[in-house]
Amino acid sequence: MILFFSNYNQKLERYKDLLLITVMFIAIPIFIIMFFIYGMLDTWGLAIVPIIVALLFTNNIALVMISASVILSQILTWMLRMHRQAGAMEPSFIVRFGILLIVLRLAFYINQVYVARLKENTFIAYHDFMTKLPNRRFFNEYLERTISVKNAAKKQVGVLVMNVDHFKLVNDVLGHDGGDAFLKMIGNT
């Protein structure tokens, strides 16, 4: 039951993200075009706001979809403007579109750095700094997940605990660097 709820919750989160991305993909051009048509205002600056919101997603598909939506809305706005002004092309639109493309490139870079830092922080939270082996937090969470999965399948779980007796003696004889190397050797076997 717990495993089912956990999987259901993960699927629900993915569907929620997908729904939010789809709504933003559809709503951004509609909002910007309607603002342009009824407000008689050029809203190219509004296009940057959804890009900033997209940075919060950890998957690139959100940023790609929202970026495509923003570009589409800008092209449609440009087409509406050309239709209103009988085909006149403003150089300022090209400059603004270029600025928008620069903002999009910067957003992709920021998102890439954000995701990398998130992975790094997750690794630091679940691994020992010195040995790079999984730490107690990782063990406890992994054990809880394993127990719930095995309980759902009506299976048993075993845990083997090892201890290094007289480790202080190892540090005294080999020094702290030698003791660290010894721990790494034991952990990797």
Side-chain angles (χ1 to χ4, degrees):
M1 181 69 176
I2 294 171
L3 176 65
F4 173 76
F5 182 71
S6 175
N7 288 341
Y8 178 76
N9 198 19
Q10 290 172 354
K11 287 180 183 177
L12 192 62
E13 284 295 319
R14 279 183 283 199
Y15 288 132
K16 188 173 78 173
D17 285 349
L18 183 62
L19 180 65
L20 183 61
I21 292 167
T22 305
V23 166
M24 287 182 73
F25 180 76
I26 295 169
I28 290 168
I30 292 172
F31 177 73
I32 289 176
I33 303 272
M34 296 305 280
F35 203 90
F36 178 75
I37 290 172
Y38 292 111
M40 297 294 184
L41 297 171
D42 192 357
T43 56
W44 74 277
L46 284 177
I48 296 172
V49 173
I51 295 169
I52 293 170
V53 171
L55 293 176
L56 301 175
F57 291 95
T58 55
N59 58 356
N60 279 340
I61 192 70
L63 193 56
V64 169
M65 292 290 288
I66 291 171
S67 298
S69 177
V70 166
I71 290 172
L72 175 68
S73 68
Q74 293 305 302
I75 291 172
L76 291 173
T77 303
W78 174 66
M79 290 170 59
L80 285 171
R81 172 176 283 183
M82 286 192 52
H83 178 69
R84 275 191 184 164
Q85 297 174 354
M89 173 82 163
E90 289 185 43
S92 66
F93 181 80
I94 296 170
V95 171
R96 286 184 276 173
F97 199 74
I99 291 171
L100 184 64
L101 291 178
I102 290 169
V103 167
L104 285 173
R105 178 63 187 118
L106 185 62
F108 274 100
Y109 175 74
I110 291 170
N111 184 263
Q112 185 179 20
V113 169
Y114 170 71
V115 169
R117 294 288 162 94
L118 192 63
K119 287 179 183 177
E120 181 182 319
N121 289 341
T122 303
F123 184 83
I124 290 170
Y126 288 103
H127 292 80
D128 180 65
F129 176 74
M130 182 198 50
T131 62
K132 308 294 187 247
L133 296 171
N135 62 14
R136 184 182 307 260
R137 173 189 272 168
F138 179 87
F139 172 75
N140 288 338
E141 290 182 15
Y142 182 78
L143 184 62
E144 284 178 25
R145 279 194 314 269
T146 303
I147 289 172
S148 64
V149 168
K150 295 300 180 179
N151 281 343
K154 306 275 191 234
K155 295 192 177 185
Q156 294 180 344
V157 176
V159 177
L160 175 66
V161 178
M162 292 178 48
N163 187 20
V164 180
D165 289 332
H166 309 292
F167 184 71
K168 183 181 179 322
L169 183 62
V170 173
N171 265 344
D172 291 343
V173 172
L174 299 175
H176 289 290
D177 291 338
D180 293 349
F182 179 71
L183 280 177
K184 288 178 186 177
M185 182 185 73
I186 289 174
N188 289 324
T189 55

